[in-house]
Amino acid sequence: MSENTVNEPVTAKRVNPRLENYKMIWKRLKKNKAALIGGYLIIFFILVAVFGPYLLSQFGQYGPYQQNLLNKLQGPSAEHWFGTDNFGRDIFTRIIHGMELTLWIGFLSVLIGMIIGVPLGIISGYYGGRIDNIIMRVMDVLLAFPGILLALAIVSVLGGSLQNVIIAVGIFSIPAFARIVRGSTLSVRKLEYIDAVRALGASDFRIIFKHILPNVMSPIIVQATLRIATAVLTASGLSFLGLGAQPPMPEWGAMLSAGRTYMYEAWHVAFFPGAMIVLVVLAFNIFGDGIRDALDPKMKQ
Amino acid sequence: MTKFIIRRLIQTIPVLLGVTILVFSLMHLIPGDPAQIIAGESAPERQVEQIRERLGLNDPLHVQYGKFLGNIVTGDLGQSVRSSRPVADEIGTRFWVTVELAVYSTIVSVFLGLIAGIISAVRHYTVLDVVIMIVALFGLSMPNFWLGLMLIQYFSIGNWMPDWMSFMQMRASGWGDSWKQVVLPVITLGTAGAAIIARMTRSSMLEVIGQDYIRTARAKGVKERIVIYRHALKNALIPVVTVVGLEFGALLGGTVLTETIFAINGMGRLTIDAIRTRDFPVVQGTVLVISLLFVFVNLLVDISYRFLNKRIELD
């Protein structure tokens, strides 16, 4: 873009329009308090995932798998902040160790959905016609399996494991990306500058990567953030059903499922893992809402 | 309108075919030999061969699919490997239990969601609005299996679950005498939907309230109440209808977890049990039925959407 401005008399400092745009988005994001809280929470969770287990191994007294049957099903106390489970394991320690798992599941599965969904959406929107029709009908079929059912069906075939849950939730995320990206591509493709670039002899590949992809980035980012929330919910649901992470892994859904048996004697075993799922999902939801508002041109004042 | 309905019906056909192909493939995407996995690792070769024969796995793929499709059309969903009963019978009454649960939850979430959303929009940027939206965000972010467990834990102290065991023997006719039995599962299942509908209603209302014709109505001196309920709400509801359809689907999927927690003997629980026992014909059957139901509901929603929104002409 900067080539076009070279010959103009330069009066003001030359600005990079894309950078200016990012600054503007950042400014609007900063104004949105809820989104900021979400963002900080996410950063905090990532820090916990990265450093938490190390800190606990240095300063804590318990390991995530360390059992103490004499001490089982103890309620929250100064010693065990979130209490202990049916094997006397410290729930707080296990939850900290589970943070990494939860975030990996969220990020990886959405990444899978993005890597497959985004190109499908762009191809569909850019080329239109028969290929668009085929891709979108396939997406319709995937969307015909409501909610967790598609992921469930895939896991039932592949077998229950954490890895298969990530794959299943990834596939479950594909249609969302494909649809959103297709819609944005359609509206971008019709703009005149795309015709102009094409008239200049740019290849489809170049048009797609240099001119369309950057312009459909905002909906992709928003969708990815919100999708992580859904992915965490779905994956923990599958683990809860015993089809994902297997015990003794400190995965929150699996921990919750184990706590179910002791609900009447020890409420905390099921409570804390679930509450953590709520917090993580909430953080991604409000952050996603915030960046959607920040990226939405309609909100520009 | 008729033209639209016909076109929409025709559009559904490839989706239906796709769904059957995907469900059919489930059996064949299993890594390894499906018959061996169903029979168990140490099963004698003869038994494996029997299962293979019974499931028709020896035929070429296209023949198998043809049979599969033909059977579906005649209502034959195959036979359970475990109980040897027809899958259609296994689903039978459980279908209605699940549908009932999903319908009640949809009604509750639409009702709560609409009220909350309208209040939020009418009082936007007040404390009430903020509180409602925060509650909605939590509702949206809560795993329903956790919510269900917490509700059970909390209310089992009181008298809200008088008859815990009777859940296990859910009668064929439906829910039994006590409405209390229905309350917790419905809240569990409906909360996320209510949250989504509340948010959608709010933003849709706000958009409509900002439009010229509302200003005109107000300028004419129409009472605020009538402006909101007669003028604004009518148009604001149109996009909400689509969400309701999608939510119904999400609820259908969500029954898998809710039914497991509350030990309700519906299709969701049947699916999970079948997955655990590797009873693939039953898994195929329930997944197929739930999806077909969802496609059908979406079809209805699309048609009613077009009916409500007369501004959209055939494109």
Side-chain angles (χ1 to χ4, degrees):
Chain A
M1 282 212 185
S2 52
E3 294 97 299
N4 306 338
T5 54
V6 164
N7 294 331
E8 283 173 25
V10 182
T11 45
K13 215 168 35 170
R14 261 217 341 250
V15 287
N16 178 343
R18 201 157 279 159
L19 191 70
E20 281 306 299
N21 201 13
Y22 285 135
K23 275 189 193 156
M24 176 108 133
I25 290 167
W26 173 237
K27 238 184 185 167
R28 261 182 274 149
L29 195 60
K30 267 200 305 198
K31 267 197 235 155
N32 188 334
K33 290 217 183 64
L36 273 189
I37 296 173
Y40 289 141
L41 271 176
I42 292 171
I43 294 172
F44 173 69
F45 290 147
I46 292 174
L47 290 177
V48 168
V50 175
F51 298 111
Y54 172 74
L55 289 176
L56 276 177
S57 72
Q58 294 298 307
F59 303 107
Q61 314 165 37
Y62 315 103
Y65 301 108
Q66 185 185 326
Q67 302 186 3
N68 180 359
L69 287 172
L70 292 174
N71 232 343
K72 65 174 183 180
L73 301 176
Q74 299 289 313
S77 63
E79 218 119 289
H80 299 283
W81 291 355
F82 291 174
T84 60
D85 67 5
N86 50 319
F87 290 108
R89 294 174 297 199
D90 183 54
I91 294 179
F92 179 75
T93 307
R94 286 175 65 72
I95 281 186
I96 299 296
H97 279 264
M99 180 72 80
E100 194 189 345
L101 280 177
T102 303
L103 294 182
W104 271 121
I105 295 169
F107 287 136
L108 282 182
S109 58
V110 169
L111 192 69
I112 292 175
M114 243 165 83
I115 288 176
I116 303 174
V118 170
L120 285 179
I122 290 189
I123 291 170
S124 218
Y126 184 75
Y127 290 105
R130 180 173 288 179
I131 188 153
D132 173 33
N133 224 324
I134 292 173
I135 292 177
M136 282 303 123
R137 288 300 82 77
V138 173
M139 294 301 121
D140 284 349
V141 170
L142 290 182
L143 286 169
F145 298 87
I148 199 174
L149 201 66
L150 180 62
L152 196 70
I154 297 170
V155 170
S156 78
V157 165
L158 297 178
S161 75
L162 196 59
Q163 187 193 335
N164 290 342
V165 163
I166 294 175
I167 295 172
V169 176
I171 296 175
F172 164 63
S173 308
I174 294 172
F177 282 106
R179 278 206 164 174
I180 292 238
V181 171
R182 173 181 179 268
S184 314
T185 306
L186 272 180
S187 61
V188 172
R189 189 191 64 172
K190 288 189 191 125
L191 298 179
E192 277 167 5
Y193 82 97
I194 297 290
D195 288 338
V197 192
R198 191 176 295 124
L200 286 172
S203 64
D204 283 351
F205 188 79
R206 189 185 162 84
I207 294 176
I208 286 174
F209 275 90
K210 294 267 314 190
H211 302 282
I212 292 189
L213 195 58
N215 281 301
V216 297
M217 236 19 230
S218 337
I220 294 177
I221 293 169
V222 174
Q223 189 63 24
T225 318
L226 294 172
R227 238 16 238 198
I228 290 176
T230 316
V232 169
L233 276 182
T234 312
S236 61
L238 291 173
S239 289
F240 176 78
L241 290 169
L243 298 169
Q246 302 297 328
M249 240 185 217
E251 201 275 339
W252 298 343
M255 287 170 70
L256 222 168
S257 170
R260 206 181 135 198
T261 327
Y262 307 97
M263 234 166 41
Y264 293 98
E265 4 172 0
W267 58 275
H268 61 275
V269 184
F271 176 80
F272 287 110
M276 285 307 295
I277 299 174
V278 176
L279 283 183
V280 170
V281 173
L282 190 73
F284 280 101
N285 269 337
I286 50 184
F287 186 63
D289 278 356
I291 45 179
R292 177 172 49 204
D293 292 347
L295 292 171
D296 189 352
K298 272 192 286 186
M299 302 282 285
K300 269 185 194 164
Q301 271 135 16
Chain B
M1 196 65 200
T2 338
K3 220 165 113 192
F4 168 75
I5 294 176
I6 291 170
R7 214 186 56 171
R8 190 65 185 68
L9 279 173
I10 292 172
Q11 270 176 2
T12 312
I13 295 172
V15 175
L16 290 180
L17 278 177
V19 168
T20 57
I21 290 175
L22 224 142
V23 170
F24 169 75
S25 321
L26 283 181
M27 181 86 83
H28 299 274
L29 291 172
I30 300 170
D33 177 5
Q36 183 77 57
I37 287 171
I38 289 169
E41 256 169 55
S42 53
E45 180 53 36
R46 211 183 42 153
Q47 198 186 340
V48 176
E49 188 49 48
Q50 238 173 11
I51 288 179
R52 199 173 290 140
E53 192 61 45
R54 209 163 91 194
L55 296 175
L57 292 173
N58 289 328
D59 294 335
L61 270 185
H62 64 274
V63 175
Q64 284 187 45
Y65 176 68
K67 277 187 191 161
F68 179 76
L69 198 61
N71 287 343
I72 290 173
V73 174
T74 56
D76 177 6
L77 298 173
Q79 225 180 32
S80 160
V81 188
R82 300 291 166 224
S83 70
S84 298
R85 292 178 58 200
V87 175
D89 287 359
E90 291 274 3
I91 293 175
T93 51
R94 290 189 176 104
F95 175 81
W96 294 109
V97 173
T98 297
V99 169
E100 233 177 302
L101 181 60
V103 168
Y104 290 155
S105 307
T106 307
I107 292 172
V108 168
S109 57
V110 168
F111 187 70
L112 288 180
L114 277 183
I115 292 179
I118 293 170
I119 293 176
S120 234
V122 174
R123 300 271 161 95
H124 66 285
Y125 302 131
T126 63
V127 179
L128 191 62
D129 172 31
V130 174
V131 170
I132 290 178
M133 282 305 112
I134 289 177
V135 172
L137 255 171
F138 268 95
L140 193 75
S141 309
M142 237 184 275
N144 67 10
F145 48 96
W146 181 71
L147 177 64
L149 287 180
M150 293 302 118
L151 287 173
I152 292 176
Q153 204 154 49
Y154 188 74
F155 286 109
S156 60
I157 303 164
N159 202 19
W160 281 66
M161 306 203 69
D163 216 353
W164 175 247
M165 288 315 284
S166 77
F167 266 104
M168 313 270 184
Q169 318 139 354
M170 191 61 73
R171 290 135 312 269
S173 55
W175 290 91
D177 359 281
S178 176
W179 57 274
K180 285 180 179 173
Q181 288 182 352
V182 195
V183 174
L184 295 189
V186 165
I187 295 176
T188 302
L189 196 53
T191 300
I196 290 170
I197 291 170
R199 283 157 57 98
M200 186 75 201
T201 309
R202 178 180 181 269
S203 65
S204 175
M205 275 292 272
L206 284 181
E207 202 165 297
V208 170
I209 285 175
Q211 279 176 11
D212 287 343
Y213 78 94
I214 295 292
R215 199 184 312 149
T216 312
R218 281 184 178 147
K220 277 197 313 192
V222 178
K223 282 200 194 94
E224 186 64 19
R225 234 188 141 69
I226 296 180
V227 173
I228 297 294
Y229 292 101
R230 194 154 315 151
H231 297 239
L233 190 58
K234 235 190 215 166
N235 281 322
L237 280 186
I238 295 171
V240 178
V241 173
T242 327
V243 179
V244 173
L246 288 175
E247 266 326 292
F248 181 77
L251 288 180
L252 275 179
T255 54
V256 170
L257 286 154
T258 316
E259 288 178 0
T260 305
I261 293 167
F262 289 94
I264 296 170
N265 203 0
M267 263 195 299
R269 186 134 172 272
L270 180 65
T271 314
I272 298 299
D273 289 344
I275 290 176
R276 289 207 178 114
T277 55
R278 319 232 93 196
D279 194 344
F280 286 104
V282 175
V283 178
Q284 284 181 313
T286 53
V287 169
L288 182 75
V289 169
I290 294 177
S291 315
L292 292 186
L293 182 63
F294 181 45
V295 170
F296 175 70
V297 168
N298 265 339
L299 183 70
L300 287 184
V301 166
D302 263 18
I303 291 171
S304 58
Y305 181 81
R306 190 56 66 109
F307 194 71
L308 285 171
N309 196 359
K310 300 198 180 76
R311 282 175 303 184
I312 296 180
E313 280 304 306
L314 289 175
D315 46 283

